[in-house]
Amino acid sequence: MIPLFPCAVPDGGWPTLCAVHAKPTAAQPYDAIARLYDPWSRSVVEDVSFYVEEASRVAPGPVVELGVGTGRIAVAVAAAGISVIGVDSSAGMLEICWEAAELAGVWGLLDLRLGDYSRPPISDHVQLVLCPFRAYL
């Protein structure tokens, strides 16, 4: 089954569901710990302002975040009014990210895409790509 997430809606209307660039389809290692990830990494905040500041240089975006995970950086960047294309190989992590964006009221600025870093599902022209918190490990 291909996960569906609401697409970003720049005009502030209601989002539509998108089949999020369907790679990979098999369960990923982070799917199993998606709900545990934020409690484990809650104390890692010292880099958030750095990424928000970097993204603000290319406002209103979009910026790409590879390894968007649960949205630790993406939601903060979106809260600054900057649109984010978030890519992750874990549908479970993307689900948590979407929930965080909804809680923060920034869902309209996030475009979440399921994919990997070898061929990110991005054809958009962007000025900034972020890859924070050891995402390549």
Side-chain angles (χ1 to χ4, degrees):
M1 180 163 129
I2 298 171
L4 297 176
F5 296 95
C7 300
V9 180
D11 66 1
W14 289 99
T16 57
L17 293 178
C18 293
V20 197
H21 305 274
K23 254 208 164 199
T25 56
Q28 297 298 305
Y30 277 91
D31 289 344
I33 65 162
R35 296 263 169 217
L36 305 172
Y37 190 83
D38 280 347
W40 170 77
S41 66
R42 190 175 323 276
S43 65
V44 182
V45 296
E46 62 274 2
D47 59 339
V48 175
S49 62
F50 168 79
Y51 290 111
V52 171
E53 184 178 321
E54 288 300 306
S56 70
R57 296 173 193 231
V58 297
V63 300
V64 170
E65 183 181 347
L66 297 176
V68 69
T70 62
R72 188 179 70 86
I73 301 296
V75 170
V77 169
I82 303 158
S83 64
V84 179
I85 300 169
V87 177
D88 207 283
S89 62
S90 168
M93 297 290 265
L94 289 174
E95 182 179 344
I96 305 295
C97 182
W98 183 253
E99 292 169 4
E102 281 186 307
L103 284 173
V106 297
W107 57 265
L109 290 171
L110 288 186
D111 177 356
L112 300 179
R113 302 179 184 187
L114 186 65
D116 63 38
Y117 310 153
S118 65
R119 291 181 182 241
I122 300 166
S123 60
D124 312 65
H125 175 77
V126 299
Q127 293 181 320
L128 181 64
V129 176
L130 306 173
C131 191
F133 199 48
R134 303 181 299 244
Y136 277 110
L137 294 179

